[in-house]
Amino acid sequence: MDTHFAQRRRRDLIVAACLAVIAALVPLFVKDVYIQNIMVLTLMYAALSQSWNILSGYCGQISLGHALYFGLGAYTTALLFTKFGVLPWFGMLAGGAISAVIAMALGYPCFRLRGHYFVIATIVIAEIALLLIQNWDWAGAALGIDIPVRGDSWLKFQFTRSKLPYFYFALALACIAWLVTWWLEDSKWGYWWRAVKDNPDAAESLGVVVFNSKMGAAAVSAFLVAVGGSFYAQFVSYIDPESVMGFQFSLLMALPAVLGGIGTLWGPVLGAVILIPLTELTRSFVGGSGRGVDLIVYGALIVAISLALPKGLVSVFGMLSGRKGAAR
Amino acid sequence: MTISRRNVLLGATAAAALGPMAARAQTSEVAIGVIYPLSGSSAAIGVDAQHAFNTAAEIINKNYDFALPLAKGEGLSGLGGAKVRLVFADHQADPQKGRAETERLITQEKVCAVVGTYQSAVAVTVSQTCERYGVPFISADNSSPSLHRRGLKYYFRASPHDEMFSAAMFDFFDAMKKKGQKIETLALFHEDTIFGTDSANAQTKLAGERGYKIVADIKYRANSPSLTAEVQQLKAANADVLMPSSYTTDSILLVKTMAELGYRPKNIMAQDAGFSEKATYDAVGDKLEGVISRGSFSLDLAQKRPMVGLINEMYRAKSGKDFNDYSSRQFMGLIVMADAINRAKSTDGEKIREALVATDMPGDVTIMPWRRVKFDEMGQNNFADPVLLQYTAKNFVTIFPEQAAVSEAIWPMNS
Amino acid sequence: MGPGLRQETRETHVDWGAAVTAETIIQSLASGLLMGLLYGLIAAGLALIFGLMDVVNFAHGEFLMIAMYATFFLFAFFAIDPLLAAPLVAAALFVFGAVVYLLVVRFAMRAKANAGMVQIFSTFGLAIVMRGLAQFFFTPDYRSVTNSWVGGKTISIAGIYLPEPQLIGAMLSIAAFVALYFFINRTDFGRALEATREDAGAVALVGIDKNRVFALGWGLGAALVGLAGAIMAIFFYVYPDVGASFALIAYVTVALGGFGSVFGAFAGGIIVGLVEATTAMILPPSLKSVGIYAVYLLVVFIRPRGLFGSM
């Protein structure tokens, strides 16, 4: 089994490297900013969903409150820059660190909760944070934060028209999130998570170590999502509580992984590549009617995929990685 | 792999589709982007806005005998009779989507100007994007005063902002006090959005300057399932004037809840929004007799300017509703933009911007009670005098300022 | 902040000492109690469905929206008062709930992998479709029932106001929970539901069709939402997104009371209503939901299965 597993992992890495190189070359051929914009969003959601997948997919702790970390990342970067002139690169790390610490602090009481009790706890914690920011005058409250853009600058990570720097950053983030997941799959943590999933009794005997590994997963997941949030703040150059911390963002982050294949290495990437362009294109070309047709298409698709392919789209592509594929 | 093939294909199709479109635009069509929430919780506003913009486009593109710029003759004479073509986009009240759709309108649909957006948060990113591409943007119906103070060159707003609106309310209070009415205490009731916050900020500042006491300042969560606790605090404060800044949903619930808890405010002075929507008056109009709302439009202007009534009929044929404060501002937004494009004789962003800067439209060739349309260096029209409208006998009548008033204010509203 | 959005900290001068009296406190608690019973009624269907088959319906808010539209249209086109329409709406929602089970949820429950996620996201997708369809067929306009029998009427006892629609809703809520209790514990069908939940394989042996039982269970859950929607339509507005405001409260209500306990949902509703009213007296009203959420967290951190939960 181990040799099989090792072979598969090597193959995954090679495929990923090829895809990354191809993706990096795409902007050379696709110059349209609208399409480039969709590509940036696709990569961003791939990264976010991959990070979400670490905690919710591999660890089985379904969080529908990850907008909290996304918002923390976005707000930390934007506040540090506009109030204290701290460059977004440092803000990004600060936001990630704060989110990781908060994720562990929240994980401590929350990991005792099971099933829907945990899911609802994550939702209400993110809602509380949203309401607090919405009422926090120093942080702009409902007015949000408008990040002044004064020309192109790598130092301030802002570009007026070009999407390419954002594209390559999002690509790098997606690659890092993928690599972290890839590495975790074969780590001690990954092993425990699988053991716990297969055999609930094992959870008892492994109690403490598993709990600690979940805390670790929460921290890694939150850190990466917060970096995504920092990126979003720079990319849109305006944030307000509702648009970076709203509940719908938690769902949007989970959807690619769920549709692509939760708890799998390729699920989030595949889900994002299909879902995000589809969402954007239906809104742009059907949404203008004002009749809600885009919602019907989008919702029906979610119902159809989740019912027809409970293991996600990866099950079609036969790309199920790791153990399951190896067992076949 | 999927990503590249997909996008290359898409790019190719988009380019193929754009070719002829761009060519057409030069000869007989001028594309203008119109960006609104067309799905999601404020879709109702976006759909009404579509009707308002289509009405304006129809008047520009066909021949009408109105004293309105561009009504006579077909299309834009400055561009050889080119027709205005509207390209609608849906921003779903999301600033990120607003930015992306604006970029699509500019780069793919080749619009030469953009009008929007209803939500102020979206106006922030839409106007930023227009600025980056050098495309003029008219903020048709955003009333947040912060919008024009961001040093943008391509930002224009023909209609008043919340500080102007609120100033009119306090002018009215001052005038009523001179007539011997007792107005000392105010209660603010506002939602926790940009609109609600900006409105309350302006009102708090003015109250301090002019010596009114704010006895309750209730900030509530928009689309709340219940407003009982909020209304109790308003009732306990029982101010001389209740000043709500709420959208339709919360306006309906506020009025119903006040009745249920036996609170009859002495007076209501509303910051427009829900209090100018037909849906609110359909639901709770019987409890709103005598309510005063600020506005930038009044149908009774039709008595002085018959075209206002005729244009309203055109709009009603499309939407089943009368013009209100939003739809009228949306209508004028497109007229002002098209007029500038016509004078620019070009679809070049910089030339249109220059034409907008040079705009000087007398008030009587608009459908609004404005003195004129002329932008200051920040792109704000300071000649857009707001009016105050009172709801009596199922109609809105203008009661302030005096030169626009057709009737005396009923004060207090329940008398 | 740069030259961006202006932001000022406002000084507010609210004299709360004068505003908070014994009367306002009693009124707040009375209103909170009424609202809480309504939240309970809205959540009852969710609690039943979860208690039966471990499925959380993420389209619950949209079921409420459909019920409110049904009430509105019965009133607008056939002049049927919402109080009379309530049984009709409940019946219609019963059918709707059963159909949703047979067309969607049945398949979600069959999922062998990721059962929890499949249920969450198939019902969530359904919610989006329902909103889209409502916008398509009913337009996004805001609708209201005007001049119904009890709409806008209110009873005043010693200066405490009790709105009639909410009073009726509260009584209906109590009646619904009592009926539900007897239904589950004292009828053959109720026992069949319970048994099916415990062991679907075993009941098949004694000739009980699992799908039929579950479809009826979903119908019943939806019918309860139908009742709630009919009452809500009297004093609330209706539009395609109206369910969203109530959905999260309903989930928290059920989880607070404890999944699997119908009585828990009843108690949860009352607690949520009272906590909301109390928080609004202490914090700015825009933060009143924080109280509800905080109480939920406090409860589950101490009792991980809610107040009366069995699973």
Side-chain angles (χ1 to χ4, degrees):
Chain A
M1 178 189 150
D2 269 331
T3 50
H4 243 88
F5 187 59
Q7 267 177 14
R8 170 164 287 277
R9 284 177 56 74
R10 219 174 9 247
R11 207 187 70 198
D12 281 337
L13 197 60
I14 294 166
V15 171
C18 294
L19 283 179
V21 170
I22 293 169
L25 294 175
V26 170
L28 298 180
F29 306 101
V30 181
K31 303 281 185 201
D32 185 290
V33 285
Y34 173 69
I35 306 287
Q36 284 184 350
N37 185 61
I38 295 179
M39 295 194 297
V40 173
L41 289 176
T42 305
L43 289 168
M44 183 187 85
Y45 277 106
L48 294 174
S49 206
Q50 194 95 47
S51 319
W52 176 86
N53 196 30
I54 294 172
L55 180 65
S56 299
Y58 286 94
C59 276
Q61 298 288 337
I62 298 170
S63 160
L64 289 182
H66 259 45
L68 168 66
Y69 307 120
F70 189 80
L72 278 175
Y75 264 94
T76 308
T77 312
L79 283 172
L80 283 177
F81 181 65
T82 53
K83 304 271 183 190
F84 307 108
V86 177
L87 291 177
W89 299 106
F90 300 108
M92 212 169 257
L93 293 176
I98 290 172
S99 292
V101 169
I102 288 183
M104 287 197 283
L106 292 174
Y108 188 73
C110 286
F111 284 141
R112 295 185 339 147
L113 305 177
R114 284 175 178 250
H116 293 289
Y117 294 105
F118 179 82
V119 177
I120 293 175
T122 60
I123 297 176
V124 302
I125 289 171
E127 282 292 303
I128 290 175
L130 168 71
L131 288 171
L132 292 180
I133 294 220
Q134 191 118 24
N135 285 279
W136 187 14
D137 286 336
W138 184 76
L143 299 182
I145 303 172
D146 189 10
I147 300 168
V149 175
R150 300 279 174 267
D152 293 357
S153 153
W154 270 105
L155 208 58
K156 291 184 189 169
F157 194 40
Q158 48 177 238
F159 303 87
T160 51
R161 286 194 196 184
S162 175
K163 293 275 171 278
L164 289 186
Y166 298 114
F167 176 86
Y168 288 111
F169 184 91
L171 179 63
L173 189 61
C175 289
I176 292 171
W178 188 92
L179 275 173
V180 169
T181 315
W182 180 85
W183 176 76
L184 280 175
E185 269 198 338
D186 192 34
S187 68
K188 257 190 321 194
W189 287 3
Y191 172 75
W192 287 330
W193 297 336
R194 278 198 295 275
V196 170
K197 260 191 176 175
D198 287 349
N199 178 6
D201 293 335
E204 298 293 326
S205 57
L206 284 170
V208 178
V209 276
V210 169
F211 188 83
N212 288 342
S213 73
K214 280 182 180 173
M215 296 280 269
V220 172
S221 180
F223 182 92
L224 289 170
V225 167
V227 173
S230 303
F231 166 76
Y232 187 86
Q234 295 303 119
F235 181 53
V236 180
S237 69
Y238 168 74
I239 57 170
D240 70 332
E242 212 63 73
S243 69
V244 296
M245 237 184 222
F247 174 59
Q248 76 284 356
F249 225 104
S250 297
L251 282 170
L252 286 175
M253 225 179 283
L255 265 180
V258 171
L259 298 182
I262 185 169
T264 65
L265 185 56
W266 290 101
V269 182
L270 186 63
V273 164
I274 290 172
L275 190 71
I276 305 305
L278 198 91
T279 324
E280 293 296 307
L281 294 172
T282 44
R283 190 193 62 247
S284 293
F285 297 103
V286 191
S289 69
R291 303 209 56 184
V293 181
D294 53 331
L295 294 182
I296 301 174
V297 173
Y298 181 61
L301 191 89
I302 295 171
V303 177
I305 297 181
S306 54
L307 288 186
L309 301 166
K311 287 181 184 169
L313 292 159
V314 281
S315 56
V316 176
F317 284 68
M319 298 201 307
L320 265 177
S321 67
R323 191 177 46 89
K324 279 173 193 157
R328 242 178 244 149
Chain B
M1 210 119 75
T2 336
I3 187 173
S4 58
R5 205 183 308 137
R6 203 185 166 82
N7 288 324
V8 168
L9 271 176
L10 266 171
T13 355
L18 276 173
M21 214 182 286
R24 248 200 341 265
Q26 283 175 351
T27 55
S28 63
E29 279 191 338
V30 172
I32 299 178
V34 179
I35 181 157
Y36 274 84
L38 294 167
S39 55
S41 60
S42 36
I45 300 291
V47 172
D48 285 348
Q50 278 188 315
H51 295 305
F53 286 110
N54 282 328
T55 308
E58 195 180 320
I59 289 174
I60 296 165
N61 287 342
K62 292 184 185 156
N63 185 19
Y64 286 91
D65 188 23
F66 297 143
L68 193 76
L70 307 174
K72 296 197 180 72
E74 295 191 359
L76 304 177
S77 56
L79 282 155
K83 297 271 169 37
V84 164
R85 183 172 62 90
L86 301 178
V87 187
F88 290 99
D90 178 13
H91 63 56
Q92 295 177 340
D94 178 347
Q96 187 276 124
K97 289 174 184 149
R99 189 192 55 86
E101 287 297 295
T102 308
E103 226 159 33
R104 179 177 70 86
L105 290 173
I106 294 170
T107 60
Q108 289 210 336
E109 302 285 350
K110 309 284 179 208
V111 300
C112 63
V114 177
V115 187
T117 61
Y118 186 60
Q119 273 94 355
S120 294
V122 184
V124 173
T125 55
V126 170
S127 56
Q128 269 179 0
T129 309
C130 286
E131 188 78 11
R132 294 179 188 183
Y133 283 88
V135 169
F137 169 69
I138 282 194
S139 200
D141 50 3
N142 308 113
S143 60
S144 172
S146 37
L147 285 170
H148 69 273
R149 292 178 186 145
R150 294 178 302 149
L152 300 183
K153 271 172 63 196
Y154 289 85
Y155 178 91
F156 295 89
R157 169 159 57 192
S159 54
H161 54 74
D162 284 332
E163 283 170 14
M164 297 164 73
F165 282 127
S166 297
M169 296 177 187
F170 283 84
D171 290 347
F172 172 78
F173 294 157
D174 290 350
M176 292 312 281
K177 268 169 91 174
K178 268 191 202 136
K179 289 185 186 163
Q181 297 284 357
K182 172 185 161 285
I183 306 175
E184 284 163 7
T185 56
L186 310 174
L188 308 187
F189 177 80
H190 59 100
E191 56 169 53
D192 60 348
T193 60
I194 295 193
F195 161 67
T197 311
D198 265 335
S199 166
N201 281 341
Q203 290 173 348
T204 309
K205 190 166 151 238
L206 282 160
E209 285 168 10
R210 305 202 191 182
Y212 294 86
K213 187 170 181 228
I214 292 179
V215 288
D217 180 358
I218 311 284
K219 175 162 149 185
Y220 68 94
R221 182 114 177 97
N223 294 327
S224 214
S226 144
L227 290 174
T228 315
E230 288 81 348
V231 167
Q232 267 155 24
Q233 298 186 7
L234 291 176
K235 188 184 174 190
N238 195 23
D240 292 332
V241 188
L242 167 63
M243 303 181 76
S245 309
S246 308
Y247 283 127
T248 313
T249 50
D250 300 314
S251 302
I252 295 174
L253 193 60
L254 168 69
V255 176
K256 286 195 171 186
T257 309
M258 288 196 300
E260 285 165 3
L261 294 183
Y263 173 43
R264 289 187 75 181
K266 294 179 198 159
N267 291 287
I268 300 178
M269 172 69 78
Q271 187 78 275
D272 191 54
F275 285 89
S276 72
E277 286 294 332
K278 183 172 176 288
T280 307
Y281 292 89
D282 284 350
V284 289
D286 55 326
K287 300 183 184 72
L288 287 174
E289 191 66 22
V291 73
I292 300 176
S293 171
R294 59 87 164 163
S296 42
F297 176 76
S298 161
L299 249 192
D300 53 28
L301 197 61
Q303 293 163 14
K304 285 183 212 160
R305 254 179 253 166
M307 76 164 176
V308 174
L310 297 171
I311 295 171
N312 182 57
E313 285 306 313
M314 290 175 67
Y315 173 71
R316 193 160 58 193
K318 290 191 197 316
S319 67
K321 298 172 189 172
D322 281 325
F323 262 137
N324 67 12
D325 194 34
Y326 285 98
S327 36
S328 61
R329 279 186 280 169
Q330 288 149 3
F331 175 92
M332 276 318 296
L334 184 63
I335 298 287
V336 170
M337 185 60 94
D339 168 69
I341 297 171
N342 190 45
R343 279 183 288 108
K345 297 187 170 45
S346 162
T347 55
D348 176 67
E350 181 52 35
K351 294 218 171 82
I352 299 172
R353 196 191 78 83
E354 281 164 14
L356 276 167
V357 170
T359 297
D360 192 356
M361 197 183 280
D364 52 12
V365 304
T366 71
I367 63 165
M368 307 304 249
W370 299 343
R371 269 178 289 160
R372 60 191 332 109
V373 179
K374 190 170 168 43
F375 299 106
D376 68 10
E377 71 284 357
M378 288 187 280
Q380 172 64 38
N381 175 21
N382 292 314
F383 301 92
D385 295 333
V387 288
L388 298 182
L389 309 163
Q390 189 162 35
Y391 184 75
T392 53
K394 303 199 168 187
N395 262 314
F396 273 113
V397 289
T398 312
I399 50 146
F400 194 81
E402 256 165 52
Q403 64 272 20
V406 295
S407 150
E408 281 279 308
I410 300 166
W411 191 274
M413 68 185 261
N414 295 317
S415 67
Chain C
M1 203 75 198
L5 289 177
R6 167 192 53 98
Q7 150 219 23
E8 299 161 2
T9 313
R10 270 183 301 123
E11 289 286 319
T12 47
H13 329 268
V14 185
D15 186 3
W16 285 118
V20 178
T21 62
E23 197 179 298
T24 55
I25 292 173
I26 295 170
Q27 173 77 67
S28 285
L29 295 178
S31 305
L33 183 66
L34 290 187
M35 231 21 233
L37 285 165
L38 260 173
Y39 289 152
L41 182 60
I42 296 170
L46 193 70
L48 178 73
I49 289 170
F50 188 93
L52 273 181
M53 50 197 118
D54 245 357
V55 174
V56 168
N57 177 13
F58 268 70
H60 192 73
E62 280 61 36
F63 276 47
L64 183 72
M65 178 263 293
I66 296 287
M68 290 170 80
Y69 265 116
T71 314
F72 170 78
F73 284 118
L74 283 173
F75 182 82
F77 291 135
F78 305 105
I80 302 175
D81 191 86
L83 289 183
L84 289 181
L88 299 176
V89 175
L93 264 284
F94 181 92
V95 176
F96 183 74
V99 168
V100 165
Y101 171 76
L102 292 172
L103 290 183
V104 179
V105 182
R106 183 158 59 112
F107 299 102
M109 290 178 70
R110 269 191 212 159
K112 290 195 181 62
N114 306 319
M117 291 311 290
V118 171
Q119 286 163 12
I120 290 179
F121 281 90
S122 59
T123 52
F124 166 70
L126 182 71
I128 298 181
V129 173
M130 285 170 72
R131 279 187 213 176
L133 288 173
Q135 189 180 341
F136 189 82
F137 288 110
F138 309 146
T139 79
D141 283 340
Y142 307 102
R143 323 271 187 160
S144 294
V145 171
T146 48
N147 300 319
S148 66
W149 292 342
V150 295
K153 299 216 171 69
T154 188
I155 296 172
S156 165
I157 305 165
I160 307 299
Y161 288 82
L162 303 172
E164 287 183 23
Q166 280 93 322
L167 259 183
I168 292 173
M171 288 188 289
L172 205 61
S173 171
I174 295 171
F177 276 104
V178 171
L180 209 55
Y181 177 81
F182 280 102
F183 176 78
I184 290 177
N185 294 303
R186 298 289 153 85
T187 63
D188 287 344
F189 182 67
R191 280 191 279 266
L193 282 176
E194 192 81 347
T196 313
R197 191 191 92 197
E198 309 258 294
D199 190 343
V203 294
L205 294 177
V206 294
I208 296 177
D209 177 6
K210 184 185 98 179
N211 275 331
R212 207 170 131 251
V213 172
F214 280 178
L216 290 174
W218 265 76
L220 205 60
L224 285 169
V225 187
L227 283 184
I231 302 297
M232 296 284 307
I234 301 175
F235 65 93
F236 217 75
Y237 46 83
V238 191
Y239 76 117
D241 279 20
V242 71
S245 316
F246 293 94
L248 185 56
I249 289 190
Y251 303 133
V252 173
T253 299
V254 177
L256 182 65
F259 282 111
S261 163
V262 171
F263 175 73
F266 182 71
I270 293 176
I271 293 172
V272 166
L274 290 176
V275 167
E276 185 180 58
T278 316
T279 316
M281 284 191 277
I282 302 164
L283 295 177
S286 53
L287 288 172
K288 67 183 178 183
S289 304
V290 170
I292 302 176
Y293 303 149
V295 166
Y296 168 76
L297 292 174
L298 201 68
V299 166
V300 293
F301 287 162
I302 297 169
R303 292 177 65 92
R305 286 168 186 182
L307 291 173
F308 305 98
S310 58
M311 52 180 85

